[in-house]
């Protein structure tokens, strides 16, 4: 199954300011990755090409990194996830677009686990990430993400440790 999943938000900040959010990923002062109910993003060598890690059961390698602009992670797990996810910065009239793109093919059991659980958890996590970015750049969030009852139940059950 082919999957293309995009989350994005226009932020009232320069590309350089938004790029610094990307640069903070997995660091001690990460201002982009959501925390609390979500697993922390961990990379064994920080945000450098070749670094490995992930969050919860999702495993990946830093495949490419242009500081302040873009980072791409290639999936190494779970089994059946073949592709990448990335954050990128794009100038947008009067602000900057922060985009997260997930592009992959699923195989085997992932053809079921992606639509039944991972997709909904992924969508909620990424909207929380966009809220963190907006909070960091605007000092508030105009329309905070709302979790569905299904996602709240999955999170409570710790389906994504």
């Amino acid at each position: 199954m082919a999957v293309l999943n995009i989350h994005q938000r226009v932020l009232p900040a320069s590309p350089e300011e938004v790029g610094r959010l990307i640069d903070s990923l997995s660091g001690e002062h990460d201002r982009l990755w959501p925390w609390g109910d979500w697993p922390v993003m961990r990379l064994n060598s920080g945000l450098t090409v070749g670094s490995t890690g992930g969050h919860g059961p999702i495993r990946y390698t830093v495949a490419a990194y242009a500081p302040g602009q873009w980072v791409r992670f290639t999936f190494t797990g779970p089994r059946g996830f073949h592709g990448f996810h990335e954050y990128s910065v794009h100038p947008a009239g009067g602000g900057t677009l922060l985009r997260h793109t997930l592009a992959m093919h699923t195989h085997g059991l992932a053809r079921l686990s992606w639509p039944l659980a991972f997709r909904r958890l992924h969508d909620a996590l990424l909207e929380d990430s966009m809220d963190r970015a907006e909070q960091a750049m605007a000092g508030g969030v105009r329309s905070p993400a709302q979790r569905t009852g299904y996602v709240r139940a999955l999170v409570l059950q710790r389906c994504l440790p």
Side-chain angles (χ1 to χ4, degrees):
M1 161 193 321
V3 174
L4 177 62
N5 182 287
I6 298 172
H7 292 261
Q8 58 189 23
R9 190 148 323 160
V10 175
L11 303 169
S14 70
E16 294 78 22
E17 291 171 301
V18 176
R20 285 193 288 275
L21 293 176
I22 291 174
D23 295 343
S24 76
L25 278 169
S26 83
E28 185 178 334
H29 302 288
D30 188 332
R31 296 177 19 200
L32 183 55
W33 194 257
W35 45 269
D37 289 334
W38 303 113
V40 175
M41 176 187 278
R42 299 188 193 283
L43 297 169
N44 69 344
S45 298
L47 197 57
T48 59
V49 173
S51 187
T52 61
H55 60 280
I58 311 301
R59 313 310 302 159
Y60 37 79
T61 298
V62 178
Y65 177 45
Q69 299 172 30
W70 170 68
V71 64
R72 176 174 285 184
F73 304 93
T74 303
F75 291 114
T76 59
R79 185 180 306 220
F81 280 35
H82 302 282
F84 66 87
H85 74 103
E86 66 185 19
Y87 279 98
S88 56
V89 172
H90 308 273
T96 300
L97 179 75
L98 174 64
R99 177 179 294 143
H100 181 274
T101 303
L102 179 148
M104 70 176 176
H105 284 85
T106 58
H107 301 282
L109 292 177
R111 294 179 124 193
L112 295 174
S113 65
W114 169 255
L116 293 176
F118 283 111
R119 186 189 81 222
R120 289 177 176 93
L121 291 167
H122 167 80
D123 288 345
L125 184 150
L126 262 298
E127 286 305 309
D128 285 354
S129 176
M130 294 296 157
D131 283 357
R132 280 186 54 89
E134 187 175 347
Q135 177 68 42
M137 296 293 103
V141 179
R142 215 170 340 149
S143 182
Q146 300 294 314
R147 295 184 187 171
T148 66
Y150 185 68
V151 167
R152 285 192 305 273
L154 289 172
V155 169
L156 283 174
Q157 294 297 315
R158 295 289 184 210
C159 289
L160 190 60

